[in-house]
Amino acid sequence: MKFNGEWMELLGCGVLEHQTLVKAGVEDKIGWAFGIGLERLAMILYNIPDIRLFWSTDPGFLNQFNVSDINTNVKYKPISIYPPCPNDISFWLPGNADEFSDNDFYDLVRTVAGDVVEQVNLVDKFYQPCL
């Protein structure tokens, strides 16, 4: 199929290499491979530049398509070429810890780090009543 003046493969098919069948112990057979090519259509629909992203486990890619309404218009936003680098931070709050808001800390991180930090999550809270 031609799309934007270039050929796009849909309904791809082919014959398996004979060596693959030999290694599988069925050297007297012929193997066929075929697919619908839905990835190519999704690439157009979501502006995804590389088909290999569909096999990514990167949450930066996957979370872009986690929407509650299937009719939401989603367009791919480029993710970092570097793997995620999670860092943990712990700190102690004097006085009444209930006065601390998680969102205040998230805002502080984003104010200081800008776009360098993509995600901040509260993983756990611990309150020591003896102190």
Side-chain angles (χ1 to χ4, degrees), residues 10 35-43 54:
L10 293 177
I36 297 175
L38 293 177
E39 299 93 348
R40 309 283 180 174
L41 295 174
M43 288 174 72
F54 287 104

Side-chain angles (χ1 to χ4, degrees), residues 24-95:
V26 288
E27 57 273 350
D28 60 331
K29 304 289 184 190
I30 296 175
W32 295 91
F34 58 93
I36 297 175
L38 293 177
E39 299 93 348
R40 309 283 180 174
L41 295 174
M43 288 174 72
I44 292 170
L45 180 64
Y46 299 116
N47 292 340
I48 298 172
D50 188 338
I51 198 167
R52 294 173 292 184
L53 286 168
F54 287 104
W55 291 273
S56 172
T57 58
D58 186 335
F61 174 74
L62 297 175
N63 289 338
Q64 292 185 42
F65 306 98
N66 187 11
V67 295
S68 58
D69 181 6
I70 195 168
N71 296 314
T72 302
N73 185 14
V74 177
K75 294 297 179 192
Y76 167 76
K77 294 179 207 97
I79 55 176
S80 174
I81 61 171
Y82 302 105
C85 181
N87 291 297
D88 294 336
I89 185 171
S90 298
F91 52 90
W92 174 74
L93 299 171

